[in-house]
Amino acid sequence: MEIYNTKISYYKNHMQVKVYDNSVKKGEKKIKALVRTPELIQKENSDKEEFLKKCYADDSEKAKEEIEKLRQKKRSVSSYSSTQRTKKTILEYLLSNQWEYFCTFTFNPALVDRTDFYEVSQKLSKWLQHLKERYAHDLMYVVVPELHSDGRSYHFHAVMSNVGKMQLMPFCHKNDNDVSSQVFTKNGQQIYVINQWRYGYSTAIELERDADSSTKIAYYMTKYITKDLCSNTLNRRRYWVSRSTVSKPIEEFLNIDFDNIDDYIKHAFDENLMYYKEISSSYRGKIRYIDVSY
């Protein structure tokens, strides 16, 4: 089994170097003693609830209140972990590819029940499949849902490339005199309407093709993956990716000498350093994250 202490992920416009104090075996899982199995977690929670019942034996309502707080905390931790995993996966796709358009798709409540996540997801999936089959065989996309401020309704955001014959028409607005004019973003980018989208409003904005813009739109997309969204879509699909046309990062695993590692990091990456962070893990020890532009 390959042993490494440095993992390098190569994205479209930068690379991330992850350095571990404790060496890692590729493909290994944490030793069983450090992993809490579902059965063990269930027993721990049950024991905690029994303890609370004994503490408030003379006040059953207080006992119920404290047990509900415990359960709420557990749900919150689980939701946070799920949110972070989804963000990490999406970010790998977003940073590994070049994107041409940022798109938004909404649903007309007269046509689609936009509060039904299953229904809007089905409409979106079939539309993407139809678009790829009929108009853009090499279509690339990453799509994420956004939960409205009402906490019930959904719409979708996407980045796309290789849009082929997808029909983009200038988005126009009529003034009080019934005169139409094209609409632009604050940065002067033209806004388009996607003709093939028939379930509601749609917009598409052409993206800049530089590294900084690509990184910004990648992190901007992940902000839609919120804890509330993950709680509302438990065991549901939370993103759509054209896996046959979209790449994931290339990964390299190295086992390097740790002597003077800090000096090595400084001299090797200082000029193009984008990001540096250290975290401590009870299992891996200290982990360094270094993002470096090409």
Side-chain angles (χ1 to χ4, degrees), residues 95-160:
L95 290 173
S96 300
N97 298 273
Q98 189 70 51
W99 303 106
E100 298 171 1
Y101 294 94
F102 173 72
C103 308
T104 299
F105 303 96
T106 68
F107 295 91
N108 183 340
L111 300 175
V112 181
D113 181 2
R114 60 186 186 183
T115 66
D116 185 336
F117 188 73
Y118 177 79
E119 183 176 352
V120 295
S121 297
Q122 287 291 99
K123 297 291 187 187
L124 175 78
S125 295
K126 290 180 179 179
W127 183 83
L128 288 170
Q129 182 180 355
H130 177 75
L131 182 68
K132 200 169 188 298
E133 290 175 353
R134 295 288 302 275
Y135 298 99
H137 298 303
D138 298 321
L139 180 68
M140 298 166 57
Y141 59 79
V142 175
V143 186
V144 296
E146 182 182 8
L147 186 63
H148 279 283
S149 56
D150 64 8
R152 298 174 62 247
S153 306
Y154 298 92
H155 61 270
F156 292 90
H157 298 282
V159 285
M160 290 183 164

Side-chain angles (χ1 to χ4, degrees), residues 17-201:
V17 183
K18 192 185 295 185
V19 182
Y20 301 89
D21 267 7
N22 298 334
S23 295
V24 181
K25 289 182 180 179
K26 192 174 179 181
E28 78 167 338
K29 296 182 179 180
K30 297 178 183 179
I31 59 175
K32 206 165 187 179
L34 295 176
V35 176
R36 294 189 303 158
T37 63
E39 293 79 12
L40 180 58
I41 293 172
Q42 186 175 3
K43 185 179 183 306
E44 288 175 355
N45 291 330
S46 179
D47 289 345
K48 289 176 182 177
E49 291 187 12
E50 286 300 319
F51 176 75
L52 289 171
K53 288 178 182 178
K54 290 178 181 179
C55 287
Y56 299 100
D58 298 330
D59 190 343
S60 60
E61 289 302 317
K62 181 65 176 176
K64 289 179 182 178
E65 181 183 331
E66 292 301 319
I67 289 172
E68 181 55 35
K69 285 181 182 178
L70 180 66
R71 292 175 178 175
Q72 180 61 38
K73 182 178 180 181
K74 185 182 72 172
R75 287 194 292 267
S76 179
V77 171
S78 176
S79 179
Y80 174 80
S81 298
S82 178
T83 302
Q84 296 306 110
R85 285 195 302 271
T86 303
K87 282 186 174 184
K88 180 180 181 297
T89 302
I90 292 170
L91 195 59
E92 288 187 339
Y93 286 115
L94 292 168
L95 290 173
S96 300
N97 298 273
Q98 189 70 51
W99 303 106
E100 298 171 1
Y101 294 94
F102 173 72
C103 308
T104 299
F105 303 96
T106 68
F107 295 91
N108 183 340
L111 300 175
V112 181
D113 181 2
R114 60 186 186 183
T115 66
D116 185 336
F117 188 73
Y118 177 79
E119 183 176 352
V120 295
S121 297
Q122 287 291 99
K123 297 291 187 187
L124 175 78
S125 295
K126 290 180 179 179
W127 183 83
L128 288 170
Q129 182 180 355
H130 177 75
L131 182 68
K132 200 169 188 298
E133 290 175 353
R134 295 288 302 275
Y135 298 99
H137 298 303
D138 298 321
L139 180 68
M140 298 166 57
Y141 59 79
V142 175
V143 186
V144 296
E146 182 182 8
L147 186 63
H148 279 283
S149 56
D150 64 8
R152 298 174 62 247
S153 306
Y154 298 92
H155 61 270
F156 292 90
H157 298 282
V159 285
M160 290 183 164
S161 289
N162 300 340
V163 297
K165 296 180 180 179
M166 186 172 78
Q167 298 169 8
L168 298 173
M169 300 294 292
F171 180 72
C172 296
H173 174 72
K174 287 186 178 181
N175 61 20
D176 294 338
N177 297 320
D178 207 30
V179 176
S180 295
S181 59
Q182 292 185 21
V183 179
F184 298 84
T185 68
K186 292 180 180 179
N187 296 326
Q189 297 161 287
Q190 187 169 346
I191 302 176
Y192 299 93
V193 174
I194 302 170
N195 274 1
Q196 284 99 335
W197 181 256
R198 304 293 174 84
Y199 297 117
Y201 290 110

